């Protein structure tokens, strides 16, 4: 039986190639992603270790370092401590640091777009040779006074900055202007992972990030033979008790590697998603391939049974064949995965996020995963065909033609598929009344979609006949070739359904998510138009900064500004949950913020009075005039507030609206402004007006000036990224679908050799044969596309209600252009996939084909 399995595998190399290729794609994404993740993690650790090379111990304050202008506090890291640390036995050198964060503008005045929290800044501290060993100069010189600045090479390139340029930046308040005098290089993984680096002279860095004569940390190097842990214990003995602590360089490198790895961990998720899609869709191709191979070898298997082979031996032979295919696919997929792992850093190192360089790390995990996935999926997919092969009776060897597929299973499919359809469809319909995008409801939606997909897979052979007869009215217009194509597709509904399943799943995914994405985008547009009358919103990029009062006055005095309303953002705690509260000025907010009140209004807004959103009111059973216990901002104890109005949910207003004076007094940043709502005379956004507003806020990179359109685009950004992934999944699905169609048609042509020969003998020319095969492929593709569209649109309608709970303006809207493109792409996939089988069928000689047994 082993020899028989090997002979069968070698005899059907071309047919098995498609199966190997389908599994190979999934294995490649899995193994490549794992190798990429391991290699990136190793590169992060190596880069972090390089950053801390020579640093044995770092001393840091246990409390945050003092801010500019404050009295020295915290860890007491001053020059006196530096001198004491230099005298500790085992200390070779002492390096004090004054580090923090600074956000810079590009040369065009717009902010440099980098990762949050990676806008690093510090002091350039030259050694005896006049250079800072951590930041080698690549161009220019080191900053020498408070008006000068140095940046890293990547930041200079991203911002188009050159030596001599005036650079605007901000630390935690008003904007500053510095002249760029130097460009450095760095291996700091926080910077190479997509951050920026700004370097000042020592005195300026101390003033900005600590206080004069004080530091944020002190690095120590050890003499030869002194261990890091030993030195850390000695250093701890001279530190101010309870105010500073010592950490070894090894521990810091590990912490930094974890931090950067967390920032870039999402890069590995996208390839893994593609791997799952490839393997799921590829499994249908495997099942179909082995089912057809078993059907073609019915007489061969019957002969084996007749000469003594048991059912178990026959089943094992088919499984052994699948095992060999899986091993081959795993090996090929792993090699392709290495190529993917090598290419991923270049593909993902975009948008200012550069992954660290390093050699590929090939550990046991990706190797075992490649084997488990490739072999496991292939053997599991071949299990049902193996059982079917074992049921072939010896008497089949005496038959000259294959029997039609058994109908008992087809009869059983109907009730089983209908039960799954009712269960999955009913589950999704039940969600239409939820209107709450909670984690539990999202899990229920995924479960309902999975049941719906399972129902369609089970029902597909039953639905094949009516759907293909319907589409056959179109293919019938091509004459006899179209009618024959329809009948060929109907010849084996199970085979047709299995071939179309790949397109059905990928089409359903893309169609459903396209509808949800399009509907959400339109809802965001309507919500922005309905809830915000301001033309621009000026806001802070971080939650720990406020807008300079002088900038507020300059914006108010800007030409073309009609109304400006300052907003303070804070939080409230009520019912055990943290909510957002927006502090507004009742006199100006009505001109820039459109609140649709269900009851009450803002006219009585003041101390001890708030307006609440419909969601918050519904949860607490509130109406205008009711009372609500809440703790605002820094207050720990709840106080009773009177509800002056209930408004429809508004993303700009948040969960509650209060008087700005009261909200600002209790906020975590007392008496600050986080947003400015600006309405212009023309009530329309324009580049000129935006430029005037940016100038009014001093081109402060900590502030965002956004039009309503930009706010909508920002809110839809994550969804757009998700849709991009879905379109990529559709491409993967279509590639595997094409492989499945090629495989199925190739086997079908081989099965129908005599039939095609007879048609050729009766006068059908080669072009008609090719047209017949292509139309058959298009018919199968159309069947899968129609089922996928129906499932995707239904799921989008049902699941869309959850989005409606978060976006009050949500309603289902069909993206006709996208859906049309999906249909055309699916049909084109079928037509292109039929090229090779059609050519082979047309090349058959009539005499040879008719003579073939």
């Amino acid at each position: 039986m082993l020899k028989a399995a090997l002979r069968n595998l070698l005899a059907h190399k071309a047919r098995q190639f498609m199966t190997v290729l389908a599994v190979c794609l999934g294995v490649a994404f899995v193994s490549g992603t794992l190798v990429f993740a391991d290699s990136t993690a190793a590169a992060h650790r190596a880069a972090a270790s390089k950053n801390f090379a020579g640093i044995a111990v770092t001393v840091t304050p246990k409390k945050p370092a003092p801010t500019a202008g404050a009295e020295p506090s915290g860890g007491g890291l001053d020059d006196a401590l530096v001198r004491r640390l230099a005298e500790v036995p085992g200390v070779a050198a002492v390096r004090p640091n004054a580090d923090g964060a600074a956000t810079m503008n590009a040369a065009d005045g717009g902010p440099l777009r980098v990762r949050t929290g990676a806008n690093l800044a510090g002091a350039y501290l030259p050694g005896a040779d006049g250079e800072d060993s951590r930041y080698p100069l690549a161009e220019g010189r080191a900053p020498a006074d408070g008006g000068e600045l140095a940046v890293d090479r990547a930041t200079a390139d991203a911002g188009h900055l050159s030596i001599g340029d005036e650079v605007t930046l901000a630390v935690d308040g008003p904007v500053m202007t510095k002249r760029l005098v130097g460009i450095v290089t760095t291996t700091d993984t926080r910077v190479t992972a997509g951050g920026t680096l700004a370097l000042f002279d020592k005195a300026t860095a101390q003033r900005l990030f600590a206080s004069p004569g004080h530091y944020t940390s002190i690095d120590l190097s050890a003499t030869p033979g002194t261990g890091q842990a030993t030195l850390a214990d000695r250093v701890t003995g001279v530190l101010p008790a309870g105010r500073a602590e010592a950490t070894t360089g090894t521990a810091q490198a590990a912490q930094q590697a974890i931090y950067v790895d967390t920032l870039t961990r999402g890069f590995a998720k996208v390839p893994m998603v593609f791997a799952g899609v490839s393997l799921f869709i590829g499994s249908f191709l495997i099942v179909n391939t082995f089912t057809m191979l078993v059907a073609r070898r019915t007489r061969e298997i019957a002969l084996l049974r007749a000469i003594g082979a048991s059912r178990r031996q026959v089943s094992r032979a088919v499984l052994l064949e699948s095992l060999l295919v899986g091993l081959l696919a795993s090996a090929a997929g792993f090699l392709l995965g290495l190529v993917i792992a090598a290419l991923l850093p270049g593909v993902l190192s975009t948008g200012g996020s550069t992954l660290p360089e390093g050699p590929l790390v090939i550990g046991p995990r990706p190797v075992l995963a490649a084997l488990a996935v490739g072999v496991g999926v292939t053997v599991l997919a071949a299990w049902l065909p193996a059982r079917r092969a074992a049921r072939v009776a010896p008497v089949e060897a005496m038959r000259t033609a294959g029997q039609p597929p058994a109908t008992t299973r087809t009869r059983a499919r109907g009730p089983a598929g209908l039960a799954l359809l009712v269960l999955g469809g009913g589950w999704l319909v039940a969600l239409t009344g939820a209107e709450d995008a909670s984690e539990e409801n999202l899990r229920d939606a995924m479960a309902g979609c999975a049941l719906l997909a399972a129902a369609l897979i089970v029902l597909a052979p039953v639905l094949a006949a009516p759907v293909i007869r319907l589409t056959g009215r179109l293919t019938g217009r091509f004459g006899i070739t179209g009618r024959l194509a329809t009948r060929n597709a109907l010849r084996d509904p199970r085979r047709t359904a299995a071939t179309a399943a790949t397109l059905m799943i990928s089409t359903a995914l893309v169609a459903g998510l396209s509808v949800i994405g399009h509907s959400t985008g339109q809802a965001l547009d309507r919500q922005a138009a309905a809830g915000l009358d301001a033309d621009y919103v000026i806001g802070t990029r971080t939650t720990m900064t406020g807008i300079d009062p002088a900038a507020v006055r300059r914006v108010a005095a800007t030409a073309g500004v009609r109304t400006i309303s300052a907003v303070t953002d804070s939080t409230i705690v009520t019912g055990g949950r943290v909510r957002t509260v927006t502090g507004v000025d009742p006199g100006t907010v009505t001109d820039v913020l459109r609140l649709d009140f269900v009851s009450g209004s803002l006219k009585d807004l003041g101390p001890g009075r708030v307006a609440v959103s419909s969601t918050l009111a519904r949860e607490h059973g509130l109406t205008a005039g009711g009372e609500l216990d809440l703790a605002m901002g820094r207050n720990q104890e709840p106080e009773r507030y009177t509800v002056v109005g209930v408004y429809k949910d508004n993303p700009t207003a948040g969960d509650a609206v209060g008087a700005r004076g009261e909200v600002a007094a209790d906020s975590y940043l007392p008496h600050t402004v986080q947003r400015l709502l600006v309405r212009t005379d023309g009530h329309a956004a324009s580049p000129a007006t935006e430029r005037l507003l940016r100038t009014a806020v001093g081109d402060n990179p900590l502030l965002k000036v956004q039009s309503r359109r930009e706010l909508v685009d920002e809110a839809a950004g994550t969804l757009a990224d998700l849709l991009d992934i879905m379109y990529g999944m559709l491409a993967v699905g279509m590639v595997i679908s094409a492989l499945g169609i090629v495989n199925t048609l190739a086997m079908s042509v081989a099965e129908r050799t005599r039939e095609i020969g007879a048609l050729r003998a009766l006068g059908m020319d080669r072009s008609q044969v090719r047209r017949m095969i292509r139309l058959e492929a298009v018919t199968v593709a159309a069947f899968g596309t129609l089922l996928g569209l129906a499932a995707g649109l239904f799921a989008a309608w049902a699941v869309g209600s959850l989005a409606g709970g978060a976006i009050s303006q949500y309603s289902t809207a069909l993206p006709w252009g996208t859906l049309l493109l999906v249909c055309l792409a699916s049909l084109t996939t079928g037509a292109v996939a039929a090229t090779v089988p059609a050519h082979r069928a047309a090349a058959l000689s009539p005499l040879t084909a008719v003579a073939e047994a």
Side-chain angles (χ1 to χ4, degrees):
M1 297 306 294
L2 175 60
K3 292 181 180 179
L6 291 173
R7 269 200 309 269
N8 285 324
L9 185 61
L10 295 174
H12 304 100
K13 294 186 293 292
R15 297 167 193 170
Q16 296 288 15
F17 173 75
M18 302 297 178
T19 303
V20 170
L21 189 56
V23 180
C24 175
L25 290 175
V27 173
F29 281 118
V30 170
S31 60
T33 301
L34 293 176
V35 171
F36 165 73
D38 291 344
S39 302
T40 303
H44 286 156
R45 289 192 295 269
S49 298
K50 188 175 181 180
N51 291 343
F52 291 95
I55 298 177
V57 175
T58 296
V59 176
T60 54
K62 285 191 175 180
K63 297 180 180 180
T67 57
E71 292 297 323
S73 58
L77 307 188
D78 53 17
D79 290 322
L81 180 60
V82 171
R83 290 190 293 270
R84 290 200 303 271
L85 291 173
E87 298 173 355
V88 173
V91 172
V94 181
R95 176 197 172 92
N97 303 303
D99 299 328
T103 306
M104 291 179 285
N105 278 340
D108 61 1
L112 279 165
R113 302 184 182 279
V114 298
R115 293 184 179 278
T116 302
N119 301 299
L120 304 182
Y124 187 93
L125 300 175
D129 58 355
E131 290 194 7
D132 190 328
S133 59
R134 290 192 306 173
Y135 308 116
L137 278 167
E139 188 178 346
R141 60 176 176 82
D145 56 48
E148 296 179 344
L149 172 75
V151 301
D152 67 287
R153 171 61 70 186
T155 298
D157 292 341
H160 304 289
L161 300 173
S162 302
I163 298 295
D165 286 351
E166 295 292 328
V167 181
T168 54
L169 69 155
V171 175
D172 60 358
V175 68
M176 301 178 291
T177 301
K178 309 285 184 184
R179 188 166 64 90
L180 183 62
V181 297
I183 296 176
V184 304
T185 59
T186 179
T187 57
D188 192 324
T189 51
R190 295 169 297 175
V191 179
T192 58
T196 62
L197 175 65
L199 296 174
F200 307 92
D201 66 286
K202 175 181 173 181
T204 302
Q206 287 181 321
R207 177 174 54 83
L208 291 174
F209 307 121
S211 60
H214 289 77
Y215 306 98
T216 56
S217 64
I218 302 174
D219 293 332
L220 309 174
S221 60
T223 57
T226 303
Q228 292 187 1
T230 301
L231 185 59
D233 291 338
R234 295 174 184 173
V235 166
T236 302
V238 302
L239 295 179
R243 301 180 63 194
E245 59 185 347
T247 307
T248 63
T250 302
Q252 291 181 85
Q255 291 172 2
Q256 184 168 316
I258 293 172
Y259 166 75
V260 178
D261 183 60
T262 302
L263 288 180
T264 57
R265 189 175 299 164
F267 288 147
K269 294 181 180 179
V270 175
M272 201 62 83
V273 170
F274 283 98
V277 172
S278 300
L279 292 170
F280 179 69
I281 296 178
S283 63
F284 293 98
L285 172 57
I286 300 167
V287 172
N288 210 22
T289 299
F290 277 96
T291 299
M292 295 179 69
L293 287 174
V294 169
R296 283 213 69 198
R297 286 151 44 192
T298 298
R299 295 182 64 190
E300 174 189 331
I301 294 172
L303 283 173
L304 290 173
R305 292 292 315 283
I307 62 176
S310 65
R311 289 187 174 185
R312 180 173 295 181
Q313 286 178 310
V314 171
S315 178
R316 285 179 177 175
V318 176
L319 290 177
L320 178 59
E321 192 175 334
S322 69
L323 174 64
L324 295 174
V325 170
L327 287 172
L328 181 60
S330 297
F334 183 76
L335 293 177
L336 181 59
L338 295 181
V339 176
I340 292 176
L343 295 176
L344 276 177
V347 173
L348 298 176
S349 293
T350 57
S353 301
T354 304
L355 297 176
E357 297 181 357
L360 291 181
V361 176
I362 304 175
R365 187 174 64 149
V367 176
L368 294 176
L371 287 173
V373 169
V375 175
V377 170
T378 308
V379 172
L380 285 176
W383 181 68
L384 285 176
R387 292 190 59 191
R388 195 173 294 124
R391 289 196 297 268
V392 175
V395 72
E396 296 290 337
M398 295 182 290
R399 300 184 186 273
T400 59
Q403 297 297 305
T407 57
T408 53
R409 286 183 175 275
T410 303
R411 286 197 298 267
R413 283 179 179 271
L418 187 61
L420 287 172
L421 184 65
V422 171
L423 183 60
W427 200 323
L428 290 175
V429 170
L431 288 174
T432 57
E435 296 187 353
D436 178 15
S438 65
E439 185 176 350
E440 181 180 357
N441 284 337
L442 289 175
R443 283 198 302 266
D444 288 342
M446 293 177 64
C449 291
L451 288 172
L452 182 63
L456 288 178
I457 292 171
V458 173
L459 285 174
V462 180
L463 297 174
V467 174
I468 290 177
R469 287 194 181 98
L470 178 64
T471 59
R473 297 181 180 180
L474 295 177
T475 55
R477 296 180 180 273
F478 290 88
I480 187 63
T481 56
R483 290 192 292 273
L484 286 174
T486 300
R487 292 178 182 176
N488 288 334
L490 289 172
R491 180 175 298 184
D492 190 341
R494 284 187 298 187
R495 177 188 300 177
T496 299
T499 305
T502 54
L503 272 179
M504 178 181 70
I505 298 300
S506 55
T507 301
L509 279 171
V510 175
L513 287 169
S514 296
V515 171
I516 293 176
H518 181 70
S519 303
T520 302
Q522 290 196 348
L524 290 171
D525 284 342
R526 290 192 294 269
Q527 186 166 274
L532 185 65
D533 275 336
D535 300 308
Y536 293 94
V537 176
I538 302 174
T540 58
R541 293 184 181 275
T542 65
T543 58
M544 298 306 295
T545 58
I547 300 177
D548 183 19
V552 177
R553 292 190 293 270
R554 290 196 300 269
V555 171
T558 299
V561 172
R562 169 180 164 181
T563 306
I564 176 174
S565 183
V567 174
T568 295
D569 294 320
S570 188
T571 59
I572 57 174
V573 178
T574 178
R577 296 181 61 183
V578 178
R579 312 280 188 155
T580 60
V581 61
T582 303
V584 302
D585 295 321
T588 59
V589 72
T590 54
D591 196 35
V592 293
L593 186 61
R594 190 182 307 170
L595 292 176
D596 188 0
F597 277 90
V598 177
S599 62
S601 66
L602 285 181
K603 66 178 182 179
D604 295 326
L605 192 67
R609 297 172 179 269
V610 295
V612 298
S613 66
S614 297
T615 298
L616 187 59
R618 183 171 59 250
E619 291 177 358
H620 292 270
L622 297 172
T623 57
E627 293 184 333
L628 177 66
D629 291 331
L630 59 88
M632 184 177 293
R634 296 172 297 166
N635 292 341
Q636 300 296 318
E637 296 298 326
E639 298 180 8
R640 179 151 295 187
Y641 283 76
T642 300
V643 177
V644 299
V646 177
Y647 56 88
K648 291 183 178 179
D649 290 356
N650 186 309
T652 306
D655 298 308
V657 172
R660 189 167 70 86
E662 183 178 24
V663 174
D666 294 329
S667 69
Y668 289 96
L669 295 174
H671 306 293
T672 59
V673 172
Q674 277 71 50
R675 285 182 291 164
L676 298 177
L677 307 183
V678 180
R679 186 169 181 177
T680 60
D681 290 334
H683 198 37
S686 69
T689 303
E690 183 173 343
R691 181 65 258 174
L692 288 174
L693 293 175
R694 289 190 182 277
T695 302
V697 297
D699 285 325
N700 193 327
L702 294 177
L703 302 181
K704 296 185 293 184
V705 179
Q706 294 177 292
S707 64
R708 282 193 291 176
R709 178 72 264 167
E710 290 170 334
L711 287 170
V712 171
D713 293 342
E714 183 179 66
T718 302
L719 185 61
D721 293 340
L722 179 62
L723 289 178
D724 289 341
I725 294 175
M726 290 300 107
Y727 295 141
M729 290 168 58
L730 175 63
V732 172
M734 286 185 173
V735 169
I736 298 178
S737 300
L739 296 176
I741 293 172
V742 169
N743 218 20
T744 301
L745 290 178
M747 292 187 179
S748 179
V749 168
E751 290 175 352
R752 288 151 38 197
T753 299
R754 297 184 65 191
E755 174 188 322
I756 294 173
L759 291 174
R760 293 277 284 115
L762 291 173
M764 180 176 282
D765 60 28
R766 291 184 175 181
S767 63
Q768 288 177 311
V769 173
R770 285 194 294 266
R771 187 182 307 122
M772 178 184 69
I773 300 299
R774 289 196 185 100
L775 288 175
E776 182 179 349
V778 171
T779 299
V780 173
F783 170 60
T785 302
L786 287 176
L787 283 188
L789 280 176
L793 295 179
F794 174 75
W797 168 77
V799 177
S801 62
L802 302 182
I807 307 174
S808 58
Q809 303 286 339
Y810 184 92
S811 63
T812 302
L814 300 181
W816 294 107
T818 301
L819 296 178
L820 179 60
L821 286 175
V822 170
C823 292
L824 290 176
S826 299
L827 296 178
T828 302
T829 299
V832 172
T835 301
V836 174
H839 179 76
R840 291 183 59 187
L844 288 174
S845 168
L847 294 178
T848 303
V850 172
E852 185 173 312

